[in-house]
C-alpha cells in the first residue's frame, strides 16, 4: 500500500485505542494516514497521539481552517484513496445512514468519492438493535463495506459480537484491497445487474411470481465488483443478504425494474439481465382483496415491457448480456433471443437439467455470441459461472470499449 492515502475517521468508543494501533500499522505498511476525530473520540485518546503516530495533523473541528486556500473537510475527503471509519459507533453509523454532517468526521464522510469501510464497535445489544441493523443495511445499499466486529469479551462486561476487528486484520484487508485493485479489468466501468424474480400484483395480498432466487444475479454482481466495476444491482424480492461494496436498488414489479434500469442505462457500460422478469401482469389490479365466487375465475393478463429488448433498441456503447432459462430447444431459443433483443451475449441454461435449476448453488451454462458461435461450460458454482461470463464479455468488448 505504498503511498496510498488512507483517511481514518475515529468516533468515540473504548476501541479508540485500537485505532491508534491501526494508524501506526498502516503507516508502517507504507500508507499515508490522515486522522479525523470526533469530540467523543478525544475523550478516550488525545489527538496528539494520532498526530505522532501518523506524522500528520489531526482534524477535529470543521471550522478550524488551517490553509485559507483549501476547505479542509473537502480537501481531505478528496485526498483519500480509502476512508475507514474505526471504531464506528452506533451514533456515527446513524449519522452516515441519514446524511447528517454536524461535526468534522460526519461532514468529511459526506464529501469525496473514495470507498468507505466501516468497522463497528459497540455493545452486543446495541449492535443487534434493529435501528442499528437498519442503518447498517442502508449503508450497505450505498455500497459501503463493513468490517464486521469480532466476538469476545467487551469492555462493557458482556461477551458477544461488538469488538472492533483487530488492527492487524484490518491492515491485511486494506493490503488485499490495494493489491487486487491493481489488476482490475472492469475498473472504471459501470455494470448494471438485474437479479431475482418480479412480483405482479393481483390485489393487495396476491401476486404472480416465479422460482428465481437471485443467486445467479447476486453472484454476477459480486464477480463484477471483484473485477473492479462500479456495480448497481437492481433486485427483485429475494432473501439473499445484500452484498457489500455494491449499490442496490430494490424493486418488485417488471415495470419498477424497467424504470430503475432505464434511469441508469446511459451511464452504464455493461448490463447483465439475470432477472427472471414476468412477461405478463394482471390487466386489472384490484384495490381490495378479491373475494372468492362460485365457479371458475378467469383473469386477463397484459404484456409487461421487455426490458432487454428495449435496452437493445436504445443501445449506444453498452454491452448487453441476456439470460435464457429454457426447458427445451435451448440452442434455438437462445439464438433467437440474441437476435430479437439485439443482445451481445446470451447465457443459456436448461433449468430442467440437474445442477442448473433455480435455487441451487451450481449452474451449467452455454454462452451464445453475435458471430453465431457458442461455448459450453461444465457444471460449476454460480460464482465461477459469473466470473466466466464476465471474462467472456471483457474479451468480446476488446480494448476499444
Ligand atoms: N427479459 C426482460 N424483460 C422481460 C422479459 C425478459 O428484460 N419482460 C430478459 C430477461 O432478463 C433475460 C432475457 O430477457 O435476460 C430472456 O428472458 P426469458 O424469460 O428467458 O425470455 P423471454 O424474452 O421472456 O422469452 P420467452 O418467454 O419466449 O422464453
Amino acid at each position: 500500500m505504498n503511498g496510498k492515502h488512507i483517511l481514518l475517521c475515529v468516533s468515540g468508543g473504548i476501541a479508540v485505542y485500537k485505532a491508534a494501533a491501526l494508524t501506526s500499522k498502516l503507516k508502517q505498511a507504507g500508507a499515508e494516514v490522515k486522522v479525523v476525530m470526533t469530540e467523543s473520540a478525544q475523550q478516550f485518546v488525545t489527538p496528539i497521539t494520532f498526530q505522532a503516530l501518523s506524522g500528520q495533523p489531526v482534524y477535529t473541528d470543521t471550522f478550524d481552517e488551517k490553509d485559507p486556500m483549501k476547505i479542509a473537510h473537502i480537501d481531505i475527503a478528496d485526498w483519500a484513496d480509502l476512508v475507514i471509519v474505526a471504531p464506528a459507533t452506533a451514533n456515527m453509523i446513524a449519522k452516515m445512514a441519514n446524511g447528517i454532517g454536524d461535526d468534522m468526521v460526519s461532514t468529511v464522510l459526506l464529501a469525496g468519492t473514495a470507498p468507505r469501510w466501516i468497522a463497528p464497535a459497540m455493545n452486543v445489544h446495541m449492535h443487534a438493535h434493529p435501528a442499528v441493523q437498519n442503518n447498517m443495511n442502508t449503508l450497505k445499499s450505498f455500497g459501503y463495506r463493513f468490517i464486521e466486529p469480532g466476538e469476545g469479551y467487551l469492555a462493557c462486561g458482556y461477551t458477544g459480537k461488538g469488538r472492533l476487528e483487530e488492527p492487524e486484520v484490518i491492515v491485511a484487508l486494506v493490503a488485499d484491497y490495494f493489491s487486487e485493485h491493481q489488476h482490475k479489468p472492469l475498473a472504471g466501468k459501470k455494470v448494471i445487474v438485474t437479479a431475482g424474480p418480479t412480483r405482479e400484483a393481483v390485489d393487495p395480498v396476491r401476486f404472480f411470481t416465479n422460482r428465481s432466487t437471485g443467486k445467479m444475479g447476486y453472484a454476477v454482481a459480486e464477480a463484477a465488483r471483484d473485477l473492479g466495476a462500479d456495480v448497481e444491482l437492481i433486485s427483485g424480492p429475494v432473501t439473499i443478504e445484500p452484498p457489500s461494496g455494491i449499490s442496490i436498488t430494490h424493486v418488485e414489479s417488471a415495470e419498477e425494474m424497467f424504470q430503475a434500469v432505464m434511469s441508469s442505462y446511459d451511464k452504464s457500460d455493461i448490463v447483465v439481465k439475470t432477472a427472471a422478469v414476468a412477461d405478463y401482469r394482471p390487466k386489472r389490479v384490484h384495490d381490495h382483496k378479491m373475494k372468492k365466487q362460485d365457479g371458475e375465475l378467469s383473469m386477463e393478463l397484459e404484456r409487461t415491457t421487455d426490458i432487454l429488448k428495449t435496452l437493445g433498441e436504445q443501445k449506444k456503447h453498452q454491452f448487453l448480456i441476456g439470460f435464457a432459462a429454457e426447458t427445451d430447444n435451448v440452442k434455438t431459443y437462445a439464438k433467437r433471443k440474441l437476435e430479437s433483443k439485439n443482445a451481445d451475449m446470451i447465457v443459456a441454461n436448461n433449468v430442467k437439467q440437474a445442477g442448473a435449476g433455480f435455487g441451487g448453488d451450481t449452474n451449467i451454462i452455454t454462452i451464445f455470441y453475435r458471430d453465431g458461435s457458442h461455448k459450453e461450460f461444465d457444471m460449476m458454482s454460480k460464482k465461477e459461472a459469473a466470473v466466466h461470463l464476465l471474462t467472456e464479455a471483457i474479451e468480446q468488448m476488446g480494448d476499444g470499449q
Side-chain angles (χ1 to χ4, degrees), residues 194 273-279 304-308 321-326 337 341:
T194 68
K273 286 265 5 195
T274 330
V277 188
D279 290 323
T304 57
T305 309
D306 188 326
I307 306 171
L308 186 56
I321 305 174
F323 269 69
E326 309 289 351
K337 281 175 192 173
K341 297 182 189 235

Side-chain angles (χ1 to χ4, degrees), residues 371-385:
D371 64 3
S373 65
H374 69 273
K375 209 188 248 188
E376 289 178 19
F377 292 81
D378 291 336
M379 181 161 80
M380 58 179 82
S381 71
K382 287 187 170 167
K383 292 228 156 90
E384 285 169 297

Side-chain angles (χ1 to χ4, degrees), residues 31 85 116 142 166 330:
V85 190
R116 276 124 170 85
F142 297 166
E166 295 307 321
V330 177

